[in-house]
Amino acid sequence: MIDNVLVANRGEIARRVFRTCSALGIARTAVFSDADAASPHVAEADAAVRLPGSTPAETYLRADLLVEAARSAGADAVHPGYGFLSENAGFARAVIDAGLTWIGPPPSAIETMGSKVESKRLMDAAGVPVLSELDPSVVTEDDLPVLVKASAGGGGRGMRVVRTLGELAEAVQSASAEAASAFGDPTVFCERYLETGRHIEVQVLADTHGTVWALGERECSIQRRHQKVVEEAPSPLVDDAMRAELFDAARKAAKAIDYVGAGTVEFLATSDGRFYFLEMNTRLQVEHPVTECVTGLDLVALQIRIAEGERLPAEPPVSRGHAIEVRLYAEDPAAGWQPQSGTLHRFEIPGVDTEFALGGAAGLRLDAGVVDGSVVGVHYDPMLAKVIAWAPTRAEAARRLARALAGARIHGLRTNRDLLVNVLRHEEFLAGKTDTAFLDRHGLDVLSRPAADAAGVRWSATAAALAEAAANRVSARTLGRLPAGWRNVASAPLRKRYLAGDTEVGVTYRPGLRLDDAEVVEVTPDRVVLDVDGVRRVFLVGRYPGLVCVDSALGAVDLVPVPRFTDPDAALAAGSLVAPMPGTVLRIAVAAGDTVTAGDPLLWLEAMKMEHRITAPADGEVTDLRVTVGQQVEPGTVLAVVTPKEQA
């Protein structure tokens, strides 16, 4: 029997495993980097062990430190979660060699599937349909387009689509560097890229007594940067005949490597029902909650029971209803998916029925790695939470999930929330037309469009100004009961200015908090009710240093107050390129004095385990280069100055 589990991971997945451990009466041990010292998963553990440092290489990728942490805390088992060392055979062996129980598949199975090149050859021999792998050095025009993939790891890292031979060398170099940083293995390979495939995967579960379940399929076709964003079970593409073939292929894959525990066999499918093996993830998947919701099973509990030697029943339970999960990221989809960092002042999803566990009937589940006040740093993946809806039908699940996301209060960081809502409400998504080209086909400019239109922004700014005035009166030390801006004689109206993105919004109101074009029904420092054209609107206002967040049925609006006076010395030189996020300078492609063309790469930043290319905004000359390789930069740091050709 397992008494104490160390989760060799962080954030949301650590909290998820802890939730099951608590239900099973198992003690919980956490590990944490210096950057995660205040993380919720640390607070929820019975014991926590510090891993000195902040980067993954210093902490969560150190097998020796993790094994020593388990020993020092008295843990007798290790759950790897997903990512980091979860698919590292060496780590699994180290855990077992230390006399601890490994809650995962045998190291030999991890090793076999850890090489995507070797695993494809094995699956082909086992009768599983595959796409042949290509050596990057022999790719020709006839092979294009191809996908460059990291042999180790997953999660979209170390993957690049190449459509011309001229792009291949840089894609291989970039993917290799990203794979080395994320997984410690720079090996990459190529395979034929299907532009409009469907990403279908089968959850498998196997015990040590020979029983292998194909527990159900999930569709994960809507992706950004080859990383899943929306996942659902069952797939709207798969009929009974195709499901039987998928399950048979998944069971063959698991049996071919004597698999034990929870794993996922991933396939790329075409619209006519053909499918090809992509890879097998020898761990729990991020999207496992949708399978839990439709089967009623706790997959983490089953992992633990299998590790304890228990038998699975002969057949898995029958699935019911439909579940959809979205990944809520701190990122800006409209700006090339730039990850965001900083303080998450408020995090509230309305209507949540349960966290990290199964609910009863139709409902909403939240698996989050953050709480109010959490700091999102630059060292780890920017996923904040997974929000999952289950309902008897797919349409009901989509509607429930979209409604909850639209009403969420997320303050302090830009997120992909509006994109998720727009996807869930899109007519093609609702019709089940969800291939891997979905985001490209419909355009990020459309799908990431904020819910609040120009009128919504204007009324949100008005509510922000009125709430601020009310807050000023509440905190006033003298004459606090007088209306804001009160004068004995009628005076000029009061004005405030805000920035909503790049747009400046002006607000005018009169002493006593009166508006000329709407009726003010109620004003408090955090709640404003306006009657606009006979319709009452409620605006909830959150104020933070340099930021005002307004939530209403018109959409969430983030506003930056514009100071009345500005410092002219703070203006940047023309052509300045600033860091869009905190990160590390990985490579530099130019030197001061070089001539560049618009779109040429100048340098690459690494942030949140992903590479981000900084390019020339126009034809011109690099007149200043202010960073060096390895330098840490903060948002707004000037990286380089490109003087346009006509000014050089």
Side-chain angles (χ1 to χ4, degrees):
M1 294 290 288
I2 292 171
D3 294 316
N4 187 330
V5 170
L6 178 138
V7 179
N9 220 294
R10 63 180 297 278
E12 167 264 329
I13 184 56
R15 299 184 77 195
R16 165 68 189 93
V17 176
F18 286 166
R19 174 65 177 77
T20 290
C21 287
S22 181
L24 296 178
I26 296 172
R28 304 156 298 178
T29 298
V31 289
F32 64 95
S33 68
D34 292 339
D36 279 337
S39 173
H41 83 273
V42 179
E44 292 171 359
D46 299 300
V49 181
R50 174 178 172 249
L51 305 175
S54 293
T55 68
E58 295 171 311
T59 56
Y60 301 108
L61 292 176
R62 287 282 303 275
D64 56 335
L65 295 183
L66 295 167
V67 170
E68 181 56 36
R71 283 173 166 160
S72 64
D76 58 352
V78 172
H79 191 297
Y82 48 69
F84 296 132
L85 295 177
S86 62
E87 294 179 281
N88 185 294
F91 178 49
R93 286 195 181 95
V95 170
I96 294 168
D97 290 345
L100 306 171
T101 299
W102 169 250
I103 304 176
S108 58
I110 299 174
E111 203 158 50
T112 299
M113 288 303 187
S115 169
K116 293 181 175 61
V117 175
E118 293 303 320
S119 65
K120 284 197 170 190
R121 293 171 184 166
L122 180 61
M123 293 300 101
D124 190 22
V128 180
V130 301
L131 284 172
S132 59
E133 58 96 4
L134 302 168
D135 187 311
S137 65
V138 300
V139 171
T140 67
E141 288 281 357
D142 292 338
D143 298 318
L144 299 174
V146 296
L147 182 63
V148 180
K149 296 181 70 173
S151 183
R157 299 181 185 88
M159 298 178 71
R160 303 288 187 275
V161 177
V162 175
R163 292 186 170 83
T164 67
L165 287 180
E167 300 171 345
L168 183 60
E170 182 190 326
V172 168
Q173 179 187 15
S174 177
S176 180
E178 193 168 272
S181 173
F183 315 118
D185 183 350
T187 306
V188 298
F189 68 98
C190 296
E191 67 184 17
R192 184 161 58 94
Y193 181 61
L194 301 182
E195 297 277 5
T196 58
R198 307 271 291 238
H199 189 117
I200 310 294
E201 60 189 34
V202 178
Q203 175 72 57
V204 296
L205 210 63
D207 63 22
T208 57
H209 307 282
T211 300
V212 179
W213 282 358
L215 195 50
E217 89 280 355
R218 300 184 286 254
E219 176 150 351
C220 314
S221 297
I222 297 181
Q223 305 177 3
R224 53 81 160 140
R225 287 184 165 181
H226 311 291
Q227 193 170 47
K228 302 157 190 173
V229 178
V230 181
E231 300 112 342
E232 57 181 310
S235 164
L237 172 71
V238 178
D239 59 19
D240 289 342
M242 183 180 177
R243 182 169 294 115
E245 292 178 4
L246 280 166
F247 286 11
D248 180 62
R251 283 190 293 263
K252 284 179 179 177
K255 290 177 180 178
I257 59 172
D258 297 322
Y259 199 77
V260 173
T264 300
V265 186
E266 303 199 352
F267 301 94
L268 191 63
T270 58
S271 57
D272 60 2
R274 290 176 294 130
F275 58 87
Y276 306 93
F277 173 83
L278 284 176
E279 62 187 9
M280 183 174 184
N281 293 130
T282 53
R283 53 171 168 80
L284 198 66
Q285 290 280 83
V286 177
E287 58 273 21
H288 75 273
V290 294
T291 298
E292 293 186 324
C293 287
V294 297
T295 62
L297 297 173
D298 181 334
L299 293 182
V300 175
L302 287 170
Q303 283 185 295
I304 293 171
R305 289 173 180 141
I306 288 171
E308 292 178 323
E310 287 193 25
R311 289 179 178 270
L312 290 172
E315 296 294 333
V318 176
S319 295
R320 61 187 183 87
H322 203 98
I324 305 175
E325 168 182 300
V326 295
R327 302 189 192 186
L328 187 63
Y329 283 99
E331 65 185 9
D332 186 353
W337 308 102
Q338 285 179 1
Q340 308 292 299
S341 63
T343 301
L344 186 64
H345 300 296
R346 188 183 187 104
F347 185 73
E348 178 184 314
I349 309 290
V352 170
D353 297 295
T354 182
E355 294 188 39
F356 302 106
L358 301 177
L364 196 71
R365 167 173 165 176
L366 175 66
D367 287 20
V370 295
V371 294
D372 290 358
S374 289
V375 175
V376 178
V378 301
H379 300 292
Y380 315 114
D381 186 272
M383 188 176 77
L384 302 176
K386 304 177 307 196
V387 190
I388 309 101
W390 180 90
T393 69
R394 185 172 184 270
E396 289 177 52
R399 182 171 59 196
R400 174 74 184 269
L401 188 52
R403 174 74 174 175
L405 290 168
R409 303 192 72 190
I410 308 169
H411 298 171
L413 293 174
R414 193 166 295 169
T415 73
N416 65 337
R417 180 258 301 274
D418 287 332
L419 175 127
L420 297 173
V421 172
N422 290 335
V423 167
L424 291 168
R425 290 175 172 170
H426 198 282
E427 60 181 7
E428 284 210 4
F429 175 83
L430 295 173
K433 299 176 181 178
T434 55
D435 59 50
T436 54
F438 187 94
L439 298 184
D440 292 333
R441 185 167 63 253
H442 298 293
L444 286 181
D445 56 336
V446 174
L447 292 175
S448 63
R449 187 174 295 157
D453 59 13
V457 171
R458 182 167 65 88
W459 289 117
S460 295
T462 300
L466 298 180
E468 182 182 356
N472 290 339
R473 300 318 305 157
V474 168
S475 62
R477 295 187 177 182
T478 59
L479 302 179
R481 295 185 179 181
L482 291 180
W486 181 84
R487 299 289 186 275
N488 284 329
V489 179
S491 181
L494 303 173
R495 294 183 175 86
K496 290 187 182 296
R497 294 181 300 150
Y498 299 94
L499 281 177
D502 296 327
T503 303
E504 184 171 301
V505 184
V507 177
T508 300
Y509 62 97
R510 297 187 179 280
L513 305 182
R514 292 184 293 109
L515 303 172
D516 293 335
D517 51 355
E519 178 188 350
V520 180
V521 179
E522 176 188 337
V523 177
T524 68
D526 54 13
R527 187 174 190 270
V528 174
V529 181
L530 302 177
D531 189 314
V532 181
D533 296 329
V535 179
R536 287 196 176 188
R537 302 282 186 187
V538 177
F539 300 85
L540 304 179
V541 183
R543 293 184 312 282
Y544 313 97
L547 177 68
V548 183
C549 301
V550 183
D551 299 290
S552 74
L554 300 177
V557 177
D558 290 348
L559 302 165
V560 176
V562 177
R564 295 180 62 188
F565 305 103
T566 58
D567 182 359
D569 292 335
L572 294 175
S576 294
L577 296 172
V578 299
M581 79 285 287
T584 303
V585 179
L586 278 183
R587 303 191 300 280
I588 297 176
V590 297
D594 285 358
T595 299
V596 295
T597 301
D600 283 353
L602 304 180
L603 55 91
W604 287 262
L605 293 178
E606 182 184 46
M608 297 179 176
K609 298 194 286 184
M610 299 288 281
E611 281 195 9
H612 305 272
R613 184 166 64 171
I614 306 299
T615 61
D619 297 352
E621 179 185 335
V622 180
T623 53
D624 195 2
L625 186 63
R626 301 191 183 181
V627 294
T628 58
V629 172
Q631 181 177 335
Q632 299 280 334
V633 296
E634 294 299 320
T637 300
V638 177
L639 306 171
V641 178
V642 176
T643 302
K645 186 178 296 184
E646 61 273 10
Q647 301 175 20

